[in-house]
């Protein structure tokens, strides 16, 4: 006889969608589409685009968990969101930004441009 609680837990892991609590809080933002690009090295790299704009992200180890490094075409404020915290970052003159995040769900939004990456796992 199977335990119904175990069946419920197994069903949660079969779903591809993030849990409802991880829906990006700022509604009305346009989702950026992930781009598959070849990557070499120990760090994980992600690229997102919308229209002609692109955002590149790199995830690598840091003393605090995971170092998220990104670059935007425009030097506007970026929000790095975790389920319980938000870091507002101002990229440098070349468009680079950096944040230490915990392993787990992360979402990067660009409120001034109305864009979001959606949730991904750091």
């Amino acid at each position: 006889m199977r335990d119904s609680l175990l069946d419920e837990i197994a069903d949660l892991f079969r779903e591809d969608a993030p849990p409802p609590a991880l829906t990006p809080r700022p509604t009305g933002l346009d989702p950026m589409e992930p781009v598959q690009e070849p990557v070499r090295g120990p760090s994980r790299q992600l690229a997102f685009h919308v229209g002609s704009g692109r955002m590149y992200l790199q995830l690598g180890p840091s003393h605090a968990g995971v170092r998220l490094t990104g670059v935007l075409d425009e030097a506007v404020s970026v929000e790095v969101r975790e389920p319980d915290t938000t870091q507002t970052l101002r990229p440098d003159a070349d468009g680079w930004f950096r944040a230490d995040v915990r392993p787990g769900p992360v979402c990067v939004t660009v409120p001034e441009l109305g864009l979001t990456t959606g949730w991904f796992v750091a």
Side-chain angles (χ1 to χ4, degrees):
M1 177 172 199
R2 291 196 46 106
D3 185 342
S4 62
L5 179 58
L6 290 176
D7 289 337
E8 272 186 63
I9 292 170
D11 287 341
L12 289 174
F13 286 104
R14 279 189 217 118
E15 292 183 20
D16 290 334
L22 298 180
T23 302
R25 292 183 185 117
T27 59
L29 297 179
D30 291 329
M32 298 184 81
E33 296 295 322
V35 178
Q36 297 295 327
E37 295 186 355
V39 176
R40 290 188 179 151
S43 298
R44 213 170 105 215
Q45 296 186 6
L46 306 169
F48 294 89
H49 79 93
V50 65
S52 62
R54 285 191 184 241
M55 179 190 318
Y56 293 93
L57 302 174
Q58 180 176 355
L59 299 164
S62 83
H63 65 282
V66 178
R67 168 60 59 106
L68 171 72
T69 303
V71 65
L72 272 175
D73 294 336
E74 299 185 40
V76 295
S77 293
V78 173
E79 292 180 353
V80 177
R81 297 173 174 270
E82 295 177 77
D84 56 351
T85 62
T86 299
Q87 299 177 56
T88 301
L89 307 170
R90 189 81 180 162
D92 64 21
D94 296 321
W96 289 94
F97 59 91
R98 290 160 194 81
D100 286 325
V101 297
R102 293 182 310 266
V106 175
C107 174
V108 179
T109 62
V110 188
E112 291 177 51
L113 301 178
L115 303 174
T116 183
T117 62
W119 292 97
F120 57 90
V121 178

